[in-house]
Amino acid sequence: MDEILGQVLRNAVWERLDLLTELANEADAPSLLSVARSELPRLTEGWRALLAAHEPDEKGNCPECSGRWRQQKSPCSVWRAAYEHLVAGGLAPRPARHLRSAPVTPPVTRSRRGVVRAH
């Protein structure tokens, strides 16, 4: 039963992320504004809850990523991913359009079924 529930939960989350990506890429401006107003607070609260669970303990270890026999020093992979996606990715300087090289392969994302798709 736990496996089935886990798969249902994972599928629901992947489907929601797929929907939000589709809306971000294809929605008209008024629809996009409406989605942003409703979804951004939910997404930021989700990130806050996830990061709070991964706050380092008094020894500097992540309580969620650490196991009985192996301690994971902070910052753990969750904090590194948060920084990469929320801070560095948004602030990283981009070269002028005429100086950018063409990508060798199209960017890919992981869908809810683990299939890699090109954009």
Side-chain angles (χ1 to χ4, degrees):
M1 184 66 171
D2 287 341
E3 286 181 32
I4 294 170
L5 178 59
Q7 189 61 49
V8 168
L9 294 176
R10 286 189 299 279
N11 285 343
V13 170
W14 284 121
E15 288 174 12
R16 185 62 168 197
L17 291 172
D18 289 345
L19 173 67
L20 292 174
T21 298
E22 184 178 331
L23 287 170
N25 291 329
E26 299 176 15
D28 60 19
S31 299
L32 192 55
L33 180 59
S34 176
V35 169
R37 285 193 172 138
S38 66
E39 295 299 324
L40 282 175
R42 291 176 53 171
L43 290 171
T44 56
E45 283 306 307
W47 270 107
R48 290 177 201 277
L50 180 64
L51 294 172
H54 288 266
E55 276 291 314
D57 62 17
E58 64 281 347
K59 295 178 184 175
N61 297 319
C62 174
E64 291 294 316
C65 295
S66 295
R68 183 176 189 175
W69 306 109
R70 183 176 143 298
Q71 298 299 309
Q72 174 63 51
K73 284 292 185 190
S74 187
C76 67
S77 61
V78 171
W79 273 98
R80 290 191 305 271
Y83 179 81
E84 179 64 31
H85 291 283
L86 298 173
V87 179
L91 297 178
R94 297 185 67 190
R97 179 170 280 205
H98 68 280
L99 297 176
R100 293 183 208 152
S101 61
V104 175
T105 58
V108 295
T109 58
R110 183 176 183 264
S111 76
R112 66 184 178 273
R113 292 184 181 90
V115 177
V116 176
R117 296 183 296 176
H119 289 288

